[in-house]
Amino acid sequence: MPLMVVGSVALDSVYTPFGETADALGGSAVYFSVAASLLSKVKVVGVIGGDYPTAELDRLAPRGIDWSGVERAEGESFRWKGKYSYDLQSRETLETRLGVFATFRPKLPPEWRATKYLFLGNIDPELQLAVLEQVQQPRLVVCDTMNYWIQGKRPELLKLLERVDILLVNDGEARELSGNWNIHKAGRWILDHGPKRVVIKQGEYGALLVEPDRTFYAPAFPLEEVFDPTGAGDAFAGGFMGYLARVDSVAPEQLRRAMIYGAAMGSFAVQGFGIRGFENVDYDTIQRRVKAFVDLTHVPSAEPLP
Ligand code: AMP
């Protein structure tokens, strides 16, 4: 089933205690599509400047990523610079340069309007809404955002939330958006503002799928080596949406399985700098990791105590 993403196509400069990158391929749409394309074909909507290394995007196209919705505009590409703490649990944004995204007006190719699965990746909520308005009858609309937009474009973000099925954010973003410190209360606040469900990611502590009447928890895969957490959230989204588009269902049990595919993709993302964590990942690697989650969480049904 067709899957489409709008988001940043960026050049990232990242500092972690284990190394650094400068102007590396990144952005929410890139991480999302690299992960999602392991499960479904993906169409990308975005914009790049004349300085973008398009050969690197072309190199990824054979994976089933259609970049033809990425406009090339005059000016600088989106750039983001971030620095991680020693435990990789928190990061500081050193710089965000919107470049060509500041004046971007997305226009979908007509045949893309029939997309059924739509991911509104982290980017200006006004652009997310502009894309949503061009899609005819999506079956599932999932949206991501971050502190930059929660602080800078709150009214626009709240307007968008009324029209999305699932909001996917990390715990800090859920707290900031809702004004609630408690993560479950924050989830409830978000459900009261439009989305039918909310996915709250908690880094190495896993992710919650909060629904009106129940909550599902997917742990993070236990890794002994983590190099660069950048893009883990977008890769999670790619696994989540890529799985749902592949099985073409939004049934509640499929959403729970999608959480595990999301967690698996997030774990590949952090194993290398930039998108390198995905270099040797194929269908079998994914299936093995998903099976490992079953072992990680399976509890034999409770026997009566002796
Ligand atoms: P994540 O680690 O999943 O939150 O995603 C990190 C990616 O988000 C990086 O590749 C950045 O280029 C991109 N990014 C950072 N800030 C923004 C922003 N304000 N809008 C859109 N994309 C951003």
PDB file of all heavy atoms in Angstrom, residues 7-12 25-28 31 78-80 84 91 93 95-96 98 121-124 144 146 148-149 170 173 201 229-235, ligand 1:
ATOM      1  N   GLY A   7       8.912  15.609   5.294  1.00  0.00           N
ATOM      2  CA  GLY A   7       9.783  15.895   6.434  1.00  0.00           C
ATOM      3  C   GLY A   7      11.058  16.554   5.966  1.00  0.00           C
ATOM      4  O   GLY A   7      11.224  16.875   4.784  1.00  0.00           O
ATOM      5  N   SER A   8      11.968  16.761   6.917  1.00  0.00           N
ATOM      6  CA  SER A   8      13.205  17.429   6.548  1.00  0.00           C
ATOM      7  C   SER A   8      14.152  16.482   5.818  1.00  0.00           C
ATOM      8  O   SER A   8      14.232  15.295   6.140  1.00  0.00           O
ATOM      9  CB  SER A   8      13.888  18.018   7.796  1.00  0.00           C
ATOM     10  OG  SER A   8      13.996  17.062   8.823  1.00  0.00           O
ATOM     11  N   VAL A   9      14.801  17.019   4.798  1.00  0.00           N
ATOM     12  CA  VAL A   9      15.889  16.321   4.102  1.00  0.00           C
ATOM     13  C   VAL A   9      17.089  17.208   4.418  1.00  0.00           C
ATOM     14  O   VAL A   9      17.221  18.297   3.870  1.00  0.00           O
ATOM     15  CB  VAL A   9      15.622  16.215   2.591  1.00  0.00           C
ATOM     16  CG1 VAL A   9      16.738  15.452   1.903  1.00  0.00           C
ATOM     17  CG2 VAL A   9      14.267  15.550   2.336  1.00  0.00           C
ATOM     18  N   ALA A  10      17.923  16.746   5.351  1.00  0.00           N
ATOM     19  CA  ALA A  10      18.844  17.672   6.015  1.00  0.00           C
ATOM     20  C   ALA A  10      20.312  17.307   5.825  1.00  0.00           C
ATOM     21  O   ALA A  10      20.653  16.209   5.359  1.00  0.00           O
ATOM     22  CB  ALA A  10      18.525  17.681   7.514  1.00  0.00           C
ATOM     23  N   LEU A  11      21.140  18.240   6.244  1.00  0.00           N
ATOM     24  CA  LEU A  11      22.564  17.971   6.416  1.00  0.00           C
ATOM     25  C   LEU A  11      22.839  18.164   7.898  1.00  0.00           C
ATOM     26  O   LEU A  11      22.627  19.260   8.432  1.00  0.00           O
ATOM     27  CB  LEU A  11      23.395  18.927   5.553  1.00  0.00           C
ATOM     28  CG  LEU A  11      23.207  18.712   4.046  1.00  0.00           C
ATOM     29  CD1 LEU A  11      23.889  19.800   3.228  1.00  0.00           C
ATOM     30  CD2 LEU A  11      23.740  17.344   3.617  1.00  0.00           C
ATOM     31  N   ASP A  12      23.219  17.086   8.563  1.00  0.00           N
ATOM     32  CA  ASP A  12      23.370  17.091  10.022  1.00  0.00           C
ATOM     33  C   ASP A  12      24.836  17.141  10.450  1.00  0.00           C
ATOM     34  O   ASP A  12      25.682  16.451   9.871  1.00  0.00           O
ATOM     35  CB  ASP A  12      22.799  15.790  10.619  1.00  0.00           C
ATOM     36  CG  ASP A  12      21.276  15.754  10.593  1.00  0.00           C
ATOM     37  OD1 ASP A  12      20.645  16.809  10.368  1.00  0.00           O
ATOM     38  OD2 ASP A  12      20.729  14.659  10.833  1.00  0.00           O
ATOM     39  N   LEU A  25      24.207  13.157   5.640  1.00  0.00           N
ATOM     40  CA  LEU A  25      22.830  12.929   5.212  1.00  0.00           C
ATOM     41  C   LEU A  25      21.942  12.679   6.427  1.00  0.00           C
ATOM     42  O   LEU A  25      22.253  11.812   7.251  1.00  0.00           O
ATOM     43  CB  LEU A  25      22.848  11.679   4.337  1.00  0.00           C
ATOM     44  CG  LEU A  25      21.783  11.500   3.279  1.00  0.00           C
ATOM     45  CD1 LEU A  25      21.933  12.594   2.235  1.00  0.00           C
ATOM     46  CD2 LEU A  25      21.930  10.145   2.624  1.00  0.00           C
ATOM     47  N   GLY A  26      20.880  13.444   6.561  1.00  0.00           N
ATOM     48  CA  GLY A  26      19.985  13.246   7.702  1.00  0.00           C
ATOM     49  C   GLY A  26      18.658  13.926   7.446  1.00  0.00           C
ATOM     50  O   GLY A  26      18.315  14.226   6.301  1.00  0.00           O
ATOM     51  N   GLY A  27      17.921  14.144   8.514  1.00  0.00           N
ATOM     52  CA  GLY A  27      16.595  14.747   8.397  1.00  0.00           C
ATOM     53  C   GLY A  27      15.525  13.700   8.650  1.00  0.00           C
ATOM     54  O   GLY A  27      15.745  12.509   8.439  1.00  0.00           O
ATOM     55  N   SER A  28      14.366  14.187   9.117  1.00  0.00           N
ATOM     56  CA  SER A  28      13.316  13.244   9.499  1.00  0.00           C
ATOM     57  C   SER A  28      12.862  12.382   8.328  1.00  0.00           C
ATOM     58  O   SER A  28      12.649  11.173   8.487  1.00  0.00           O
ATOM     59  CB  SER A  28      12.133  14.010  10.113  1.00  0.00           C
ATOM     60  OG  SER A  28      11.717  15.049   9.267  1.00  0.00           O
ATOM     61  N   TYR A  31      15.714   9.580   7.526  1.00  0.00           N
ATOM     62  CA  TYR A  31      15.742   8.453   8.479  1.00  0.00           C
ATOM     63  C   TYR A  31      14.471   7.607   8.350  1.00  0.00           C
ATOM     64  O   TYR A  31      14.516   6.381   8.382  1.00  0.00           O
ATOM     65  CB  TYR A  31      15.882   8.962   9.920  1.00  0.00           C
ATOM     66  CG  TYR A  31      17.296   9.323  10.273  1.00  0.00           C
ATOM     67  CD1 TYR A  31      17.700  10.647  10.396  1.00  0.00           C
ATOM     68  CD2 TYR A  31      18.249   8.328  10.482  1.00  0.00           C
ATOM     69  CE1 TYR A  31      19.004  10.976  10.725  1.00  0.00           C
ATOM     70  CE2 TYR A  31      19.553   8.645  10.811  1.00  0.00           C
ATOM     71  CZ  TYR A  31      19.924   9.970  10.928  1.00  0.00           C
ATOM     72  OH  TYR A  31      21.219  10.280  11.247  1.00  0.00           O
ATOM     73  N   PHE A  78      18.377  22.519   4.451  1.00  0.00           N
ATOM     74  CA  PHE A  78      18.128  22.522   5.899  1.00  0.00           C
ATOM     75  C   PHE A  78      19.371  21.965   6.603  1.00  0.00           C
ATOM     76  O   PHE A  78      19.904  20.926   6.204  1.00  0.00           O
ATOM     77  CB  PHE A  78      16.903  21.635   6.179  1.00  0.00           C
ATOM     78  CG  PHE A  78      16.530  21.530   7.627  1.00  0.00           C
ATOM     79  CD1 PHE A  78      15.535  22.340   8.161  1.00  0.00           C
ATOM     80  CD2 PHE A  78      17.158  20.613   8.456  1.00  0.00           C
ATOM     81  CE1 PHE A  78      15.180  22.243   9.491  1.00  0.00           C
ATOM     82  CE2 PHE A  78      16.809  20.510   9.794  1.00  0.00           C
ATOM     83  CZ  PHE A  78      15.828  21.322  10.317  1.00  0.00           C
ATOM     84  N   ARG A  79      19.798  22.651   7.667  1.00  0.00           N
ATOM     85  CA  ARG A  79      20.953  22.148   8.434  1.00  0.00           C
ATOM     86  C   ARG A  79      20.624  22.101   9.909  1.00  0.00           C
ATOM     87  O   ARG A  79      19.991  23.021  10.446  1.00  0.00           O
ATOM     88  CB  ARG A  79      22.180  23.031   8.202  1.00  0.00           C
ATOM     89  CG  ARG A  79      22.911  22.681   6.926  1.00  0.00           C
ATOM     90  CD  ARG A  79      24.190  23.517   6.812  1.00  0.00           C
ATOM     91  NE  ARG A  79      25.044  23.033   5.731  1.00  0.00           N
ATOM     92  CZ  ARG A  79      24.782  23.198   4.438  1.00  0.00           C
ATOM     93  NH1 ARG A  79      23.692  23.821   4.052  1.00  0.00           N
ATOM     94  NH2 ARG A  79      25.625  22.732   3.520  1.00  0.00           N
ATOM     95  N   TRP A  80      21.064  21.033  10.546  1.00  0.00           N
ATOM     96  CA  TRP A  80      20.838  20.883  11.990  1.00  0.00           C
ATOM     97  C   TRP A  80      22.140  20.427  12.642  1.00  0.00           C
ATOM     98  O   TRP A  80      22.877  19.597  12.086  1.00  0.00           O
ATOM     99  CB  TRP A  80      19.735  19.857  12.246  1.00  0.00           C
ATOM    100  CG  TRP A  80      19.487  19.600  13.699  1.00  0.00           C
ATOM    101  CD1 TRP A  80      18.802  20.410  14.547  1.00  0.00           C
ATOM    102  CD2 TRP A  80      19.906  18.456  14.458  1.00  0.00           C
ATOM    103  NE1 TRP A  80      18.773  19.848  15.798  1.00  0.00           N
ATOM    104  CE2 TRP A  80      19.447  18.649  15.772  1.00  0.00           C
ATOM    105  CE3 TRP A  80      20.626  17.302  14.157  1.00  0.00           C
ATOM    106  CZ2 TRP A  80      19.679  17.729  16.794  1.00  0.00           C
ATOM    107  CZ3 TRP A  80      20.860  16.377  15.160  1.00  0.00           C
ATOM    108  CH2 TRP A  80      20.393  16.597  16.464  1.00  0.00           C
ATOM    109  N   TYR A  84      25.220  15.485  21.980  1.00  0.00           N
ATOM    110  CA  TYR A  84      24.660  14.567  22.973  1.00  0.00           C
ATOM    111  C   TYR A  84      25.447  14.586  24.275  1.00  0.00           C
ATOM    112  O   TYR A  84      26.667  14.789  24.268  1.00  0.00           O
ATOM    113  CB  TYR A  84      24.635  13.135  22.410  1.00  0.00           C
ATOM    114  CG  TYR A  84      23.560  12.965  21.369  1.00  0.00           C
ATOM    115  CD1 TYR A  84      23.814  13.276  20.036  1.00  0.00           C
ATOM    116  CD2 TYR A  84      22.282  12.563  21.722  1.00  0.00           C
ATOM    117  CE1 TYR A  84      22.824  13.167  19.071  1.00  0.00           C
ATOM    118  CE2 TYR A  84      21.284  12.447  20.776  1.00  0.00           C
ATOM    119  CZ  TYR A  84      21.557  12.743  19.457  1.00  0.00           C
ATOM    120  OH  TYR A  84      20.580  12.648  18.515  1.00  0.00           O
ATOM    121  N   ARG A  91      20.092  15.673  24.494  1.00  0.00           N
ATOM    122  CA  ARG A  91      20.874  16.362  23.471  1.00  0.00           C
ATOM    123  C   ARG A  91      20.494  17.823  23.435  1.00  0.00           C
ATOM    124  O   ARG A  91      19.384  18.207  23.801  1.00  0.00           O
ATOM    125  CB  ARG A  91      20.682  15.708  22.106  1.00  0.00           C
ATOM    126  CG  ARG A  91      19.418  16.106  21.416  1.00  0.00           C
ATOM    127  CD  ARG A  91      19.357  15.542  20.009  1.00  0.00           C
ATOM    128  NE  ARG A  91      18.047  15.802  19.443  1.00  0.00           N
ATOM    129  CZ  ARG A  91      17.460  15.044  18.557  1.00  0.00           C
ATOM    130  NH1 ARG A  91      18.045  13.951  18.109  1.00  0.00           N
ATOM    131  NH2 ARG A  91      16.274  15.364  18.076  1.00  0.00           N
ATOM    132  N   THR A  93      20.317  21.149  20.947  1.00  0.00           N
ATOM    133  CA  THR A  93      20.374  21.617  19.566  1.00  0.00           C
ATOM    134  C   THR A  93      21.286  22.832  19.538  1.00  0.00           C
ATOM    135  O   THR A  93      21.035  23.815  20.240  1.00  0.00           O
ATOM    136  CB  THR A  93      18.966  21.974  19.033  1.00  0.00           C
ATOM    137  OG1 THR A  93      18.229  20.757  18.872  1.00  0.00           O
ATOM    138  CG2 THR A  93      19.025  22.675  17.695  1.00  0.00           C
ATOM    139  N   GLU A  95      22.240  24.341  16.584  1.00  0.00           N
ATOM    140  CA  GLU A  95      21.832  25.227  15.496  1.00  0.00           C
ATOM    141  C   GLU A  95      20.753  24.563  14.635  1.00  0.00           C
ATOM    142  O   GLU A  95      20.817  23.362  14.370  1.00  0.00           O
ATOM    143  CB  GLU A  95      23.066  25.521  14.611  1.00  0.00           C
ATOM    144  CG  GLU A  95      22.823  26.600  13.608  1.00  0.00           C
ATOM    145  CD  GLU A  95      24.070  26.902  12.762  1.00  0.00           C
ATOM    146  OE1 GLU A  95      25.041  26.115  12.784  1.00  0.00           O
ATOM    147  OE2 GLU A  95      24.051  27.915  12.078  1.00  0.00           O
ATOM    148  N   THR A  96      19.760  25.339  14.226  1.00  0.00           N
ATOM    149  CA  THR A  96      18.767  24.883  13.242  1.00  0.00           C
ATOM    150  C   THR A  96      18.718  25.953  12.166  1.00  0.00           C
ATOM    151  O   THR A  96      18.395  27.107  12.458  1.00  0.00           O
ATOM    152  CB  THR A  96      17.355  24.749  13.880  1.00  0.00           C
ATOM    153  OG1 THR A  96      17.427  23.845  14.977  1.00  0.00           O
ATOM    154  CG2 THR A  96      16.338  24.228  12.877  1.00  0.00           C
ATOM    155  N   LEU A  98      16.830  26.694   8.734  1.00  0.00           N
ATOM    156  CA  LEU A  98      15.758  26.172   7.889  1.00  0.00           C
ATOM    157  C   LEU A  98      16.112  26.208   6.403  1.00  0.00           C
ATOM    158  O   LEU A  98      15.677  25.349   5.644  1.00  0.00           O
ATOM    159  CB  LEU A  98      14.468  26.965   8.111  1.00  0.00           C
ATOM    160  CG  LEU A  98      13.830  26.852   9.498  1.00  0.00           C
ATOM    161  CD1 LEU A  98      12.543  27.667   9.542  1.00  0.00           C
ATOM    162  CD2 LEU A  98      13.532  25.407   9.861  1.00  0.00           C
ATOM    163  N   GLY A 121       6.318  13.894   8.957  1.00  0.00           N
ATOM    164  CA  GLY A 121       7.561  13.902   9.725  1.00  0.00           C
ATOM    165  C   GLY A 121       7.810  15.268  10.325  1.00  0.00           C
ATOM    166  O   GLY A 121       7.185  16.270   9.937  1.00  0.00           O
ATOM    167  N   ASN A 122       8.735  15.304  11.258  1.00  0.00           N
ATOM    168  CA  ASN A 122       9.068  16.517  11.984  1.00  0.00           C
ATOM    169  C   ASN A 122       9.483  17.641  11.036  1.00  0.00           C
ATOM    170  O   ASN A 122      10.547  17.583  10.425  1.00  0.00           O
ATOM    171  CB  ASN A 122      10.214  16.169  12.945  1.00  0.00           C
ATOM    172  CG  ASN A 122      10.738  17.375  13.648  1.00  0.00           C
ATOM    173  OD1 ASN A 122      10.007  18.342  13.865  1.00  0.00           O
ATOM    174  ND2 ASN A 122      12.004  17.333  14.010  1.00  0.00           N
ATOM    175  N   ILE A 123       8.617  18.630  10.936  1.00  0.00           N
ATOM    176  CA  ILE A 123       8.869  19.827  10.121  1.00  0.00           C
ATOM    177  C   ILE A 123       7.796  20.835  10.517  1.00  0.00           C
ATOM    178  O   ILE A 123       6.899  20.512  11.297  1.00  0.00           O
ATOM    179  CB  ILE A 123       8.865  19.458   8.592  1.00  0.00           C
ATOM    180  CG1 ILE A 123       9.456  20.556   7.715  1.00  0.00           C
ATOM    181  CG2 ILE A 123       7.471  19.081   8.097  1.00  0.00           C
ATOM    182  CD1 ILE A 123      10.913  20.796   7.945  1.00  0.00           C
ATOM    183  N   ASP A 124       7.862  22.032  10.013  1.00  0.00           N
ATOM    184  CA  ASP A 124       6.887  23.076  10.334  1.00  0.00           C
ATOM    185  C   ASP A 124       5.445  22.532  10.229  1.00  0.00           C
ATOM    186  O   ASP A 124       5.040  22.034   9.178  1.00  0.00           O
ATOM    187  CB  ASP A 124       7.103  24.221   9.325  1.00  0.00           C
ATOM    188  CG  ASP A 124       6.260  25.438   9.645  1.00  0.00           C
ATOM    189  OD1 ASP A 124       5.196  25.278  10.255  1.00  0.00           O
ATOM    190  OD2 ASP A 124       6.679  26.545   9.261  1.00  0.00           O
ATOM    191  N   ASP A 144       4.652  13.544  13.677  1.00  0.00           N
ATOM    192  CA  ASP A 144       5.744  13.725  14.636  1.00  0.00           C
ATOM    193  C   ASP A 144       5.970  15.232  14.780  1.00  0.00           C
ATOM    194  O   ASP A 144       5.575  16.012  13.918  1.00  0.00           O
ATOM    195  CB  ASP A 144       6.999  13.052  14.052  1.00  0.00           C
ATOM    196  CG  ASP A 144       8.183  13.057  15.007  1.00  0.00           C
ATOM    197  OD1 ASP A 144       8.014  13.406  16.186  1.00  0.00           O
ATOM    198  OD2 ASP A 144       9.290  12.709  14.563  1.00  0.00           O
ATOM    199  N   MET A 146       8.608  18.318  17.271  1.00  0.00           N
ATOM    200  CA  MET A 146       9.665  18.449  18.288  1.00  0.00           C
ATOM    201  C   MET A 146       9.594  19.805  18.977  1.00  0.00           C
ATOM    202  O   MET A 146       8.816  20.671  18.582  1.00  0.00           O
ATOM    203  CB  MET A 146      11.045  18.160  17.699  1.00  0.00           C
ATOM    204  CG  MET A 146      11.623  19.247  16.848  1.00  0.00           C
ATOM    205  SD  MET A 146      13.194  18.762  16.125  1.00  0.00           S
ATOM    206  CE  MET A 146      14.298  18.881  17.512  1.00  0.00           C
ATOM    207  N   TYR A 148      11.211  22.472  18.983  1.00  0.00           N
ATOM    208  CA  TYR A 148      11.358  23.663  18.142  1.00  0.00           C
ATOM    209  C   TYR A 148       9.991  24.166  17.662  1.00  0.00           C
ATOM    210  O   TYR A 148       9.705  25.352  17.687  1.00  0.00           O
ATOM    211  CB  TYR A 148      12.240  23.286  16.946  1.00  0.00           C
ATOM    212  CG  TYR A 148      12.658  24.430  16.062  1.00  0.00           C
ATOM    213  CD1 TYR A 148      13.784  25.185  16.369  1.00  0.00           C
ATOM    214  CD2 TYR A 148      11.938  24.742  14.906  1.00  0.00           C
ATOM    215  CE1 TYR A 148      14.186  26.221  15.542  1.00  0.00           C
ATOM    216  CE2 TYR A 148      12.328  25.775  14.079  1.00  0.00           C
ATOM    217  CZ  TYR A 148      13.456  26.514  14.397  1.00  0.00           C
ATOM    218  OH  TYR A 148      13.850  27.543  13.578  1.00  0.00           O
ATOM    219  N   TRP A 149       9.131  23.242  17.245  1.00  0.00           N
ATOM    220  CA  TRP A 149       7.802  23.605  16.722  1.00  0.00           C
ATOM    221  C   TRP A 149       6.792  23.757  17.851  1.00  0.00           C
ATOM    222  O   TRP A 149       5.861  24.560  17.751  1.00  0.00           O
ATOM    223  CB  TRP A 149       7.328  22.558  15.705  1.00  0.00           C
ATOM    224  CG  TRP A 149       8.341  22.346  14.625  1.00  0.00           C
ATOM    225  CD1 TRP A 149       9.065  21.210  14.385  1.00  0.00           C
ATOM    226  CD2 TRP A 149       8.785  23.304  13.647  1.00  0.00           C
ATOM    227  NE1 TRP A 149       9.920  21.396  13.323  1.00  0.00           N
ATOM    228  CE2 TRP A 149       9.774  22.673  12.856  1.00  0.00           C
ATOM    229  CE3 TRP A 149       8.453  24.636  13.364  1.00  0.00           C
ATOM    230  CZ2 TRP A 149      10.429  23.321  11.814  1.00  0.00           C
ATOM    231  CZ3 TRP A 149       9.101  25.273  12.321  1.00  0.00           C
ATOM    232  CH2 TRP A 149      10.079  24.631  11.565  1.00  0.00           C
ATOM    233  N   ASN A 170       8.512  12.059  21.590  1.00  0.00           N
ATOM    234  CA  ASN A 170       9.262  11.479  22.699  1.00  0.00           C
ATOM    235  C   ASN A 170       8.709  12.033  24.015  1.00  0.00           C
ATOM    236  O   ASN A 170       7.868  12.936  24.030  1.00  0.00           O
ATOM    237  CB  ASN A 170      10.781  11.639  22.527  1.00  0.00           C
ATOM    238  CG  ASN A 170      11.234  13.080  22.622  1.00  0.00           C
ATOM    239  OD1 ASN A 170      10.655  13.863  23.371  1.00  0.00           O
ATOM    240  ND2 ASN A 170      12.254  13.437  21.862  1.00  0.00           N
ATOM    241  N   GLU A 173       8.920  15.794  24.633  1.00  0.00           N
ATOM    242  CA  GLU A 173       7.993  16.561  23.789  1.00  0.00           C
ATOM    243  C   GLU A 173       6.563  16.431  24.308  1.00  0.00           C
ATOM    244  O   GLU A 173       5.808  17.416  24.314  1.00  0.00           O
ATOM    245  CB  GLU A 173       8.092  16.064  22.344  1.00  0.00           C
ATOM    246  CG  GLU A 173       9.420  16.399  21.684  1.00  0.00           C
ATOM    247  CD  GLU A 173       9.839  15.457  20.570  1.00  0.00           C
ATOM    248  OE1 GLU A 173       9.134  14.455  20.299  1.00  0.00           O
ATOM    249  OE2 GLU A 173      10.909  15.691  19.977  1.00  0.00           O
ATOM    250  N   LYS A 201       7.775   7.873  22.882  1.00  0.00           N
ATOM    251  CA  LYS A 201       9.060   7.161  22.880  1.00  0.00           C
ATOM    252  C   LYS A 201       9.894   7.625  24.073  1.00  0.00           C
ATOM    253  O   LYS A 201       9.911   8.806  24.389  1.00  0.00           O
ATOM    254  CB  LYS A 201       9.807   7.460  21.566  1.00  0.00           C
ATOM    255  CG  LYS A 201       9.056   7.003  20.329  1.00  0.00           C
ATOM    256  CD  LYS A 201       9.551   7.701  19.089  1.00  0.00           C
ATOM    257  CE  LYS A 201       9.124   9.146  19.076  1.00  0.00           C
ATOM    258  NZ  LYS A 201       9.811   9.981  18.108  1.00  0.00           N
ATOM    259  N   PRO A 229      22.314   8.435  18.633  1.00  0.00           N
ATOM    260  CA  PRO A 229      20.847   8.303  18.722  1.00  0.00           C
ATOM    261  C   PRO A 229      20.080   9.124  17.682  1.00  0.00           C
ATOM    262  O   PRO A 229      18.868   8.993  17.590  1.00  0.00           O
ATOM    263  CB  PRO A 229      20.521   8.820  20.126  1.00  0.00           C
ATOM    264  CG  PRO A 229      21.822   8.999  20.825  1.00  0.00           C
ATOM    265  CD  PRO A 229      22.863   9.176  19.772  1.00  0.00           C
ATOM    266  N   THR A 230      20.767   9.957  16.897  1.00  0.00           N
ATOM    267  CA  THR A 230      20.059  10.809  15.940  1.00  0.00           C
ATOM    268  C   THR A 230      19.214   9.958  14.988  1.00  0.00           C
ATOM    269  O   THR A 230      19.696   8.979  14.430  1.00  0.00           O
ATOM    270  CB  THR A 230      21.061  11.633  15.092  1.00  0.00           C
ATOM    271  OG1 THR A 230      21.997  12.225  15.973  1.00  0.00           O
ATOM    272  CG2 THR A 230      20.354  12.695  14.275  1.00  0.00           C
ATOM    273  N   GLY A 231      17.979  10.354  14.829  1.00  0.00           N
ATOM    274  CA  GLY A 231      17.114   9.688  13.856  1.00  0.00           C
ATOM    275  C   GLY A 231      16.426   8.448  14.397  1.00  0.00           C
ATOM    276  O   GLY A 231      15.628   7.823  13.681  1.00  0.00           O
ATOM    277  N   ALA A 232      16.693   8.087  15.660  1.00  0.00           N
ATOM    278  CA  ALA A 232      16.065   6.871  16.206  1.00  0.00           C
ATOM    279  C   ALA A 232      14.541   7.013  16.183  1.00  0.00           C
ATOM    280  O   ALA A 232      13.822   6.065  15.858  1.00  0.00           O
ATOM    281  CB  ALA A 232      16.545   6.612  17.630  1.00  0.00           C
ATOM    282  N   GLY A 233      14.058   8.220  16.496  1.00  0.00           N
ATOM    283  CA  GLY A 233      12.606   8.442  16.526  1.00  0.00           C
ATOM    284  C   GLY A 233      11.999   8.323  15.136  1.00  0.00           C
ATOM    285  O   GLY A 233      10.933   7.728  14.957  1.00  0.00           O
ATOM    286  N   ASP A 234      12.693   8.859  14.141  1.00  0.00           N
ATOM    287  CA  ASP A 234      12.176   8.785  12.773  1.00  0.00           C
ATOM    288  C   ASP A 234      12.263   7.352  12.246  1.00  0.00           C
ATOM    289  O   ASP A 234      11.394   6.899  11.509  1.00  0.00           O
ATOM    290  CB  ASP A 234      12.984   9.719  11.857  1.00  0.00           C
ATOM    291  CG  ASP A 234      12.962  11.135  12.388  1.00  0.00           C
ATOM    292  OD1 ASP A 234      11.865  11.655  12.643  1.00  0.00           O
ATOM    293  OD2 ASP A 234      14.043  11.712  12.588  1.00  0.00           O
ATOM    294  N   ALA A 235      13.328   6.647  12.630  1.00  0.00           N
ATOM    295  CA  ALA A 235      13.457   5.245  12.221  1.00  0.00           C
ATOM    296  C   ALA A 235      12.361   4.409  12.886  1.00  0.00           C
ATOM    297  O   ALA A 235      11.786   3.512  12.266  1.00  0.00           O
ATOM    298  CB  ALA A 235      14.837   4.712  12.593  1.00  0.00           C
TER     299      ALA A 235
HETATM  300  P1  AMP B   1      15.312  12.419  15.900  1.00  0.00           P
HETATM  301  O1  AMP B   1      16.654  12.070  16.482  1.00  0.00           O
HETATM  302  O2  AMP B   1      14.496  11.217  15.532  1.00  0.00           O
HETATM  303  O3  AMP B   1      14.562  13.410  16.713  1.00  0.00           O
HETATM  304  O4  AMP B   1      15.593  13.134  14.493  1.00  0.00           O
HETATM  305  C1  AMP B   1      16.727  13.905  14.239  1.00  0.00           C
HETATM  306  C2  AMP B   1      16.612  14.502  12.842  1.00  0.00           C
HETATM  307  O5  AMP B   1      15.653  15.553  12.870  1.00  0.00           O
HETATM  308  C3  AMP B   1      17.907  15.094  12.364  1.00  0.00           C
HETATM  309  O6  AMP B   1      18.339  14.364  11.222  1.00  0.00           O
HETATM  310  C4  AMP B   1      17.602  16.549  12.010  1.00  0.00           C
HETATM  311  O7  AMP B   1      18.049  16.931  10.754  1.00  0.00           O
HETATM  312  C5  AMP B   1      16.094  16.635  12.058  1.00  0.00           C
HETATM  313  N1  AMP B   1      15.655  17.868  12.712  1.00  0.00           N
HETATM  314  C6  AMP B   1      16.174  18.467  13.821  1.00  0.00           C
HETATM  315  N2  AMP B   1      15.498  19.599  14.126  1.00  0.00           N
HETATM  316  C7  AMP B   1      14.497  19.697  13.210  1.00  0.00           C
HETATM  317  C8  AMP B   1      13.431  20.657  12.981  1.00  0.00           C
HETATM  318  N3  AMP B   1      13.262  21.736  13.767  1.00  0.00           N
HETATM  319  N4  AMP B   1      12.592  20.427  11.946  1.00  0.00           N
HETATM  320  C9  AMP B   1      12.763  19.354  11.159  1.00  0.00           C
HETATM  321  N5  AMP B   1      13.734  18.435  11.298  1.00  0.00           N
HETATM  322  C10 AMP B   1      14.598  18.588  12.303  1.00  0.00           C
END
